[in-house]
Amino acid sequence: MSKSAWQLLGDYLKDTQLLGSIQSTLYWDQNTSMPIAGSNWRGEQLSLIAKQLHARQSSEQFEILIKEAKSELQNSKEKDDFESQLITDRFRNIDLLEQDFNRQKSLDPQLVVELATAKSEGYMCWQEARKNNDFKSFSPALKKLIALRTEQSNQLCEERSCWETLAQPFEPNLTIDRVSELFEPLQKRLPELIQKAETITNKKSEKWDLAISDQEKLCQILLNDWSRDPANTAIAKSPHPFSITLGPDDYRITTRIVKGQPLSCLLATAHEWGHSLYEQGLPSKSHQWFAWPLGQATSMAVHESQSLFWENRIARSFSFAKSFWHHFENAGAPIHSGDDLWINLNPFTPGLNRVEADELSYGLHIMIRTELEIDLLERGLSVEDLPNEWNKRYLHLLGVSPKNDTEGCLQDVHWSEGMFGYFPSYLLGHLISAQLTKTLEEDLGKIENLIESTEISKILGWLRKNVHHYGRSLDSEELVRKVTGAKLSPTYFLEYLDNKLEKLSTISK
Amino acid sequence: MSKSAWQLLGDYLKDTQLLGSIQSTLYWDQNTSMPIAGSNWRGEQLSLIAKQLHARQSSEQFEILIKEAKSELQNSKEKDDFESQLITDRFRNIDLLEQDFNRQKSLDPQLVVELATAKSEGYMCWQEARKNNDFKSFSPALKKLIALRTEQSNQLCEERSCWETLAQPFEPNLTIDRVSELFEPLQKRLPELIQKAETITNKKSEKWDLAISDQEKLCQILLNDWSRDPANTAIAKSPHPFSITLGPDDYRITTRIVKGQPLSCLLATAHEWGHSLYEQGLPSKSHQWFAWPLGQATSMAVHESQSLFWENRIARSFSFAKSFWHHFENAGAPIHSGDDLWINLNPFTPGLNRVEADELSYGLHIMIRTELEIDLLERGLSVEDLPNEWNKRYLHLLGVSPKNDTEGCLQDVHWSEGMFGYFPSYLLGHLISAQLTKTLEEDLGKIENLIESTEISKILGWLRKNVHHYGRSLDSEELVRKVTGAKLSPTYFLEYLDNKLEKLSTISK
């Protein structure tokens, strides 16, 4: 029997996905095993695969396969061959494929090449500039990236502003107005909460550290408790922790040990495991399905909501500290109660560094970067003025001032690779996480109680059933409305922070 | 300026090599990091790359590129454009490319697919059969592989016997007559040496073991002493140790820890490091050169000669034991002198298992397998008779009898993947290693003295200068003659064993 158009499209997608997963394997190896001298050759391997991938994703053959599958689907719909959910899913898959294909196709291949080069040059230039605290040497690369990305947005020709167009691959349907609407209440309230936090006189936690092997052991205990199955998940170390999926049954995370910060490894592990659990909960159905859009993550904000959930709602919770502290004591840490561990897990001090920021000040970092990149792309902020603007806003919102640009506007990697439109996802993830948790608690009872009675599997089961399995069938705002019955709002996140501060101030007295 | 035909061919080869090295990266990851559930998808990734590789290696485009580069080279030779060594090298490169291309091209693609399937089925079937000690269940798969490989040999249509044709990719220009000529003196002498060894009453070494981390530390000391540069070499653990090159500056080895065998890890590391040193010493010249035949290993026997050199001539030497034993004592092993370590490193007891065999009996294992596979392919031995023949020859040559086929003819993986013609390389490696060492000693003085004065770099330098850099420009016998001035012979290996036995018997008294 000859294959249906749908099956032929699936075969094509599967080969594309195989190539994509080979690319991911090269990336994983690069960050976990590769000796440094392997970089050049690895770069050439990655270029080869990227070229093949782009060719497949913008080929005429692919366009025809999509068209034929779509018309086959329309015919079968008329003949009422399928149950309606399957039809809906398939139409959604086709829509997304058309959307992705049109994006790939509308780009001038010359621009694609120039962008790839500018990204890699920008990244190298940024590394040097950051090391030497020399923003000026980075300016030309940043200008070039802004020009190329603006040109890309023009070629994509969407009914959106430039920044919005570039944000779409990370956050479908996001608009600047919506970002403002969601972030404004936070911009007002977070500085107040930070002030309040300063009045809490935390028991000063002593400086302490743990041996690498002990930190690894603690992470193993954590992941065992959190349902890790070594048959389909692997763990390694890398300079920057990440989570990656290499196949439909092959999930990997990395973590890192930071000297003098004995909780960094555990929290990074919790965070990356949250990403991985989302990937593990995506609809797979079959190897083939793994290659379709509906089998993939819907947005970076939703992804981040899941990692932040496990990092902040679980690992930084009071109940977790209560049930886990004795593992730290056994490892030789000066932790002698749940309170001790909890206070250590929740320090609140506004600083200059986004990655190390606490839950309170984190949002302000994101708002500063988001505003700045919109200003750069759409509102005429010149690259030369960036350092001043950065420093001004830090002083205004967080009350701190970078000593230099390395501590300031050179700290994040994103812009050096022309990655504009990504930053809001980090904060949206906090909001989504908080709002989903509210509904989870309505369904299952207080999350603190679930953690205390070590009913982690119930929590995971709820996320699998209510959040993960949608894949790209809903965008992030649709997902939130579907699960919580309400529009996405910053209220829940602020409520959560309020409660946490309250509890911390009680315990610290 | 437009590129020369030579450069265009180089570009093509480089992309092929990039793909090949991606395949190797997937293989490395599969054996060092991949969770078990990732196997199916990994299999599909590997098939995709294998298909692409075969297409590139047998394409018309490739054929034209070779032809054009060859005629360009012939013209420039007439014009006397190049120095003569470069011309010789280039012609040799073209010859080898033509040879490899013709092999790829003469195969029916249908056969290539059938063979790939039969190999993977054969491997799975063998695993089961070995587990269940059920040779009968493996027979059909073995028969099929023999039939397909015979067909392959017919299609290749070389002026060689079937077995010889199949051995070529491992051991260029090897003939059955030459194998017999080299192995016969060993078949006569080795059993005598084994008898002699039995008269040596070794100080019984107690049973002892070391912690994993201690074994890892000992391997690190070893590799530091042996010039490992972490910038271009990585180490990991895998069930079966191997060495692999992932790029012109990216070398990897694996090792393993075997419970109850505290020297296994160190010796495996020494062995794989020997393979890696050979790869590291191959002519690279540039990234591009890495992709040409002359940048590659010439044969499995030469490869094995290098790994066996570091394992047996260095790590199992008396001087090494004398200089290294205190590291074992420090790690808590019951090793209190060089004699102790040396005796532990050199147990002589003929057994049934090839991989664990000592240097004395190892050759007999190889001879049995080599004879049997020639008999299977060319002399009418039926698959059904294989177990009986195996057992008979073991009893005859080694004086031991397998209790069952799992201990007997099911022990090695090679035949299950249709890999015929590979076995002799293991023993040829011993002979080459011994003969090269003889010349090394003529040039640098006694190897035991060099090891004792920890002049390992001199030894490595000699190998780099005299052995490694030839790549595929000489086959293994040509290489031996070039370096040692003599025809390859088993004498040196037997001499070496004689001396070792002598010394061991003195020390054990």
Side-chain angles (χ1 to χ4, degrees):
Chain A
M1 222 179 80
S2 69
K3 287 188 171 180
S4 70
W6 191 262
Q7 286 167 325
L8 291 173
L9 176 58
D11 290 347
Y12 189 90
L13 289 172
K14 189 179 157 193
D15 276 2
T16 308
Q17 192 74 349
L18 281 168
L19 270 178
S21 65
I22 288 170
Q23 188 178 48
S24 301
T25 309
L26 293 172
Y27 179 81
W28 162 269
D29 177 80
Q30 184 174 35
N31 285 281
T32 57
S33 306
M34 190 187 79
I36 183 81
S39 320
N40 285 342
W41 188 257
R42 179 56 44 90
E44 302 200 49
Q45 291 175 324
L46 286 168
S47 300
L48 185 78
I49 299 283
K51 230 187 294 173
Q52 287 192 15
L53 268 175
H54 182 255
R56 287 188 71 81
Q57 283 164 339
S58 57
S59 74
E60 205 184 338
Q61 187 194 355
F62 187 30
E63 188 169 24
I64 293 167
L65 284 168
I66 298 174
K67 266 193 194 140
E68 287 175 352
K70 187 176 183 176
S71 85
E72 185 185 78
L73 184 61
Q74 278 161 340
N75 289 337
S76 56
K77 191 190 171 189
E78 283 154 19
K79 284 188 279 164
D80 219 12
D81 279 354
F82 294 111
E83 45 159 330
S84 71
Q85 184 56 47
L86 186 61
I87 297 232
T88 312
D89 283 353
R90 289 195 166 187
F91 271 109
R92 175 75 179 165
N93 264 320
I94 290 285
D95 284 350
L96 291 166
L97 286 173
E98 282 181 334
Q99 197 185 94
D100 296 347
F101 176 79
N102 289 334
R103 275 198 196 131
Q104 295 277 353
K105 203 189 150 194
S106 45
L107 295 180
D108 179 357
Q110 180 59 28
L111 178 70
V112 173
V113 174
E114 281 179 42
L115 255 171
T117 313
K119 281 180 193 185
S120 121
E121 285 174 0
Y123 176 68
M124 287 188 292
C125 177
W126 166 76
Q127 284 183 308
E128 276 303 296
R130 197 175 112 134
K131 206 169 65 191
N132 306 325
N133 182 35
D134 180 7
F135 181 77
K136 263 197 187 144
S137 69
F138 176 56
S139 304
L142 183 56
K143 276 186 201 165
K144 178 153 195 186
L145 282 161
I146 292 172
L148 287 171
R149 293 286 273 158
T150 306
E151 170 60 21
Q152 185 184 17
S153 153
N154 289 338
Q155 288 185 11
L156 288 169
C157 208
E158 299 181 12
E159 286 181 10
R160 290 182 175 98
S161 81
C162 173
W163 183 88
E164 286 171 346
T165 303
L166 301 177
Q168 291 307 301
F170 310 116
E171 216 43 55
N173 305 319
L174 189 67
T175 65
I176 293 181
D177 284 350
R178 185 64 180 137
V179 169
S180 307
E181 194 182 358
L182 286 166
F183 287 2
E184 257 162 30
L186 296 167
Q187 186 152 349
K188 188 171 159 286
R189 188 76 183 116
L190 287 179
E192 294 169 9
L193 288 176
I194 291 173
Q195 282 198 322
K196 191 176 162 191
E198 280 169 8
T199 67
I200 302 175
T201 49
N202 268 0
K203 289 176 194 159
K204 264 256 170 6
S205 63
E206 352 161 14
K207 288 259 177 236
W208 54 283
D209 209 351
L210 285 177
I212 292 174
S213 60
D214 286 320
Q215 295 196 43
E216 285 172 350
K217 234 177 271 168
L218 290 167
C219 289
Q220 271 164 19
I221 297 171
L222 183 85
L223 294 180
N224 283 346
D225 289 354
W226 289 8
S227 82
R228 177 193 171 219
D229 177 1
N232 64 11
T233 51
I235 303 165
K237 274 182 284 185
S238 68
H240 303 278
F242 64 94
S243 158
I244 199 165
T245 300
L246 301 191
D249 297 300
D250 185 347
Y251 304 96
R252 319 270 180 110
I253 66 164
T254 70
T255 186
R256 68 169 166 194
I257 311 279
V258 184
K259 218 175 141 61
Q261 295 180 36
L263 294 166
S264 170
C265 180
L266 190 85
L267 290 170
T269 304
H271 184 97
E272 300 310 331
W273 186 244
H275 280 304
S276 190
L277 284 174
Y278 177 39
E279 293 274 320
Q280 293 176 44
L282 286 169
S284 62
K285 294 186 183 164
S286 72
H287 274 199
Q288 217 193 47
W289 192 255
F290 173 67
W292 292 82
L294 287 207
Q296 293 155 8
T298 188
S299 86
M300 290 319 298
V302 171
H303 233 305
E304 205 62 23
S305 80
Q306 297 307 293
S307 55
L308 292 169
F309 178 86
W310 290 92
E311 178 188 359
N312 294 325
R313 302 307 297 244
I314 313 280
R316 279 205 171 100
S317 71
F318 183 66
S319 306
F320 176 82
K322 250 167 72 182
S323 70
F324 207 83
W325 68 269
H326 63 280
H327 296 305
F328 274 88
E329 187 175 60
N330 290 344
I335 295 289
H336 307 297
S337 69
D339 289 5
D340 276 355
L341 181 56
W342 198 52
I343 288 167
N344 272 276
L345 283 164
N346 291 284
F348 287 128
T349 325
L352 291 161
N353 194 290
R354 176 182 67 83
V355 181
E356 292 159 14
D358 60 60
E359 281 178 282
L360 272 190
S361 50
Y362 190 85
L364 298 173
H365 289 263
I366 297 307
M367 284 184 248
I368 292 171
R369 285 154 184 67
T370 304
E371 284 297 316
L372 284 171
E373 62 180 27
I374 298 174
D375 289 351
L376 280 169
L377 287 163
E378 301 195 1
R379 295 172 188 149
L381 173 63
S382 76
V383 166
E384 281 76 12
D385 288 341
L386 181 61
N388 275 335
E389 275 302 313
W390 179 287
N391 299 346
K392 213 168 73 187
R393 293 177 200 201
Y394 257 81
L395 193 60
H396 172 60
L397 282 177
L398 281 138
V400 289
S401 247
K403 279 200 306 289
N404 53 47
D405 293 335
T406 297
E407 276 188 8
C409 65
L410 284 172
Q411 76 176 249
D412 275 309
V413 63
H414 306 61
W415 293 338
S416 82
E417 291 173 323
M419 207 157 141
F420 304 113
Y422 186 91
F423 275 118
S425 304
Y426 288 122
L427 183 51
L428 292 172
H430 277 287
L431 309 192
I432 296 170
S433 169
Q435 188 159 339
L436 292 175
T437 306
K438 184 85 180 172
T439 305
L440 180 149
E441 293 193 315
E442 282 160 18
D443 289 355
L444 303 181
K446 282 279 163 214
I447 193 167
E448 293 275 359
N449 297 342
L450 294 165
I451 300 167
E452 200 169 334
S453 51
T454 62
E455 300 202 78
I456 293 292
S457 64
K458 271 198 187 164
I459 296 173
L460 177 57
W462 188 90
L463 291 171
R464 286 254 159 89
K465 187 173 157 225
N466 292 281
V467 180
H468 297 173
H469 75 96
Y470 287 108
R472 283 177 75 185
S473 65
L474 304 170
D475 72 25
S476 51
E477 294 241 27
E478 289 167 345
L479 178 73
V480 168
R481 191 184 281 276
K482 178 101 180 179
V483 181
T484 70
K487 205 176 168 187
L488 179 62
S489 147
T491 322
Y492 309 93
F493 180 53
L494 286 171
E495 244 177 54
Y496 155 71
L497 290 177
D498 256 332
N499 289 338
K500 190 170 219 176
L501 273 189
E502 199 51 47
K503 173 119 186 157
L504 261 177
S505 74
T506 325
I507 229 167
S508 301
K509 266 171 194 153
Chain B
M1 217 178 86
S2 69
K3 288 186 169 179
S4 69
W6 190 263
Q7 286 167 326
L8 290 173
L9 175 59
D11 290 346
Y12 190 89
L13 289 173
K14 188 178 158 194
D15 276 3
T16 308
Q17 191 75 346
L18 279 168
L19 270 178
S21 66
I22 289 170
Q23 187 178 47
S24 301
T25 311
L26 293 172
Y27 180 80
W28 162 268
D29 177 81
Q30 184 174 34
N31 285 281
T32 57
S33 305
M34 190 188 78
I36 181 83
S39 323
N40 286 341
W41 188 258
R42 180 55 44 90
E44 302 200 48
Q45 291 175 325
L46 287 167
S47 300
L48 185 78
I49 300 283
K51 231 187 294 172
Q52 286 192 16
L53 269 175
H54 182 256
R56 286 188 72 81
Q57 284 164 339
S58 58
S59 74
E60 205 185 337
Q61 189 193 353
F62 188 30
E63 188 169 22
I64 293 167
L65 285 169
I66 297 174
K67 266 193 196 142
E68 287 175 352
K70 188 176 182 176
S71 84
E72 186 185 78
L73 183 61
Q74 279 160 337
N75 290 337
S76 56
K77 191 189 173 191
E78 284 153 23
K79 284 187 281 161
D80 219 13
D81 279 354
F82 295 110
E83 46 159 330
S84 72
Q85 184 55 47
L86 187 61
I87 297 235
T88 312
D89 283 354
R90 289 195 167 188
F91 271 110
R92 173 76 178 161
N93 264 319
I94 290 285
D95 283 350
L96 291 165
L97 285 173
E98 282 181 333
Q99 194 185 96
D100 295 348
F101 175 80
N102 289 334
R103 275 201 195 128
Q104 292 281 351
K105 204 188 152 196
S106 46
L107 295 179
D108 179 357
Q110 180 60 26
L111 178 71
V112 173
V113 173
E114 278 178 46
L115 254 171
T117 311
K119 281 178 193 185
S120 119
E121 284 174 1
Y123 176 67
M124 287 189 292
C125 178
W126 167 75
Q127 283 184 308
E128 275 303 295
R130 196 174 112 134
K131 206 170 66 192
N132 306 325
N133 182 34
D134 180 7
F135 180 77
K136 262 196 188 147
S137 70
F138 175 57
S139 304
L142 183 55
K143 277 186 200 165
K144 178 153 196 187
L145 281 161
I146 292 171
L148 288 170
R149 294 285 273 158
T150 307
E151 170 59 21
Q152 186 185 14
S153 153
N154 289 338
Q155 289 185 10
L156 287 169
C157 210
E158 299 180 13
E159 285 181 11
R160 293 184 173 96
S161 82
C162 172
W163 182 87
E164 286 170 347
T165 303
L166 300 178
Q168 292 308 301
F170 311 116
E171 216 43 56
N173 304 321
L174 188 68
T175 65
I176 292 182
D177 283 351
R178 184 65 179 136
V179 170
S180 306
E181 194 182 356
L182 287 165
F183 287 1
E184 256 162 31
L186 296 166
Q187 187 151 349
K188 188 170 157 286
R189 186 75 183 115
L190 287 178
E192 294 167 11
L193 288 176
I194 292 173
Q195 282 197 323
K196 186 174 166 196
E198 279 167 9
T199 67
I200 302 176
T201 48
N202 268 357
K203 290 176 194 157
K204 264 254 170 0
S205 64
E206 354 162 10
K207 289 255 176 239
W208 54 283
D209 209 351
L210 285 176
I212 292 175
S213 59
D214 286 321
Q215 294 196 45
E216 286 172 350
K217 235 176 274 169
L218 290 167
C219 289
Q220 271 165 19
I221 296 171
L222 183 85
L223 294 181
N224 283 345
D225 290 353
W226 289 7
S227 83
R228 177 194 169 216
D229 177 0
N232 64 10
T233 51
I235 303 164
K237 274 181 283 186
S238 67
H240 303 278
F242 63 95
S243 158
I244 198 165
T245 300
L246 302 190
D249 296 301
D250 185 347
Y251 305 96
R252 319 268 181 112
I253 66 163
T254 69
T255 184
R256 67 169 166 195
I257 312 279
V258 184
K259 222 178 138 60
Q261 295 182 38
L263 294 167
S264 169
C265 180
L266 190 85
L267 290 170
T269 303
H271 184 96
E272 300 309 332
W273 185 245
H275 280 304
S276 191
L277 284 174
Y278 177 39
E279 293 274 320
Q280 293 176 42
L282 287 169
S284 62
K285 294 187 184 165
S286 73
H287 274 197
Q288 219 193 45
W289 191 256
F290 173 68
W292 292 83
L294 287 207
Q296 291 155 10
T298 189
S299 86
M300 291 319 299
V302 171
H303 233 304
E304 205 63 22
S305 80
Q306 297 307 293
S307 55
L308 291 169
F309 178 86
W310 291 92
E311 180 190 357
N312 293 326
R313 301 308 296 245
I314 313 279
R316 279 204 170 100
S317 72
F318 183 65
S319 307
F320 176 82
K322 247 168 73 181
S323 70
F324 206 84
W325 67 269
H326 63 281
H327 295 305
F328 274 89
E329 186 174 61
N330 290 344
I335 295 289
H336 308 297
S337 68
D339 288 7
D340 276 355
L341 182 56
W342 197 53
I343 288 167
N344 272 276
L345 282 164
N346 290 283
F348 287 127
T349 326
L352 292 161
N353 193 291
R354 176 181 67 84
V355 180
E356 292 159 13
D358 60 60
E359 282 176 281
L360 272 191
S361 49
Y362 191 85
L364 298 174
H365 289 263
I366 297 306
M367 285 183 246
I368 291 171
R369 285 154 185 68
T370 303
E371 283 298 316
L372 284 172
E373 62 181 25
I374 297 173
D375 288 353
L376 280 169
L377 286 163
E378 301 195 0
R379 296 171 186 149
L381 173 63
S382 77
V383 166
E384 282 76 12
D385 286 342
L386 180 60
N388 274 335
E389 276 302 314
W390 179 287
N391 300 346
K392 213 167 72 187
R393 294 178 199 201
Y394 257 82
L395 194 59
H396 172 61
L397 282 177
L398 281 139
V400 290
S401 247
K403 279 198 307 291
N404 52 48
D405 293 335
T406 296
E407 277 189 7
C409 64
L410 284 172
Q411 76 175 250
D412 275 310
V413 62
H414 306 60
W415 292 338
S416 81
E417 291 172 324
M419 207 156 140
F420 304 112
Y422 187 91
F423 275 118
S425 305
Y426 290 120
L427 183 51
L428 292 172
H430 276 286
L431 308 193
I432 296 170
S433 169
Q435 189 159 337
L436 292 176
T437 305
K438 184 87 181 170
T439 305
L440 181 149
E441 293 193 315
E442 283 160 19
D443 289 355
L444 304 181
K446 281 280 164 213
I447 193 166
E448 292 276 359
N449 297 341
L450 294 166
I451 300 168
E452 199 169 335
S453 52
T454 60
E455 300 202 77
I456 292 292
S457 63
K458 271 199 187 164
I459 296 173
L460 177 57
W462 189 90
L463 291 171
R464 286 256 160 88
K465 185 173 159 226
N466 292 282
V467 181
H468 296 174
H469 75 95
Y470 288 109
R472 284 177 74 187
S473 64
L474 304 171
D475 72 24
S476 50
E477 294 240 29
E478 288 167 346
L479 179 73
V480 169
R481 190 184 282 273
K482 177 102 180 180
V483 181
T484 70
K487 205 177 169 188
L488 180 62
S489 144
T491 322
Y492 310 93
F493 180 53
L494 286 171
E495 243 175 54
Y496 155 70
L497 290 177
D498 257 332
N499 289 339
K500 191 170 217 175
L501 272 189
E502 199 51 47
K503 171 119 188 155
L504 261 177
S505 74
T506 325
I507 230 166
S508 300
K509 267 172 194 153

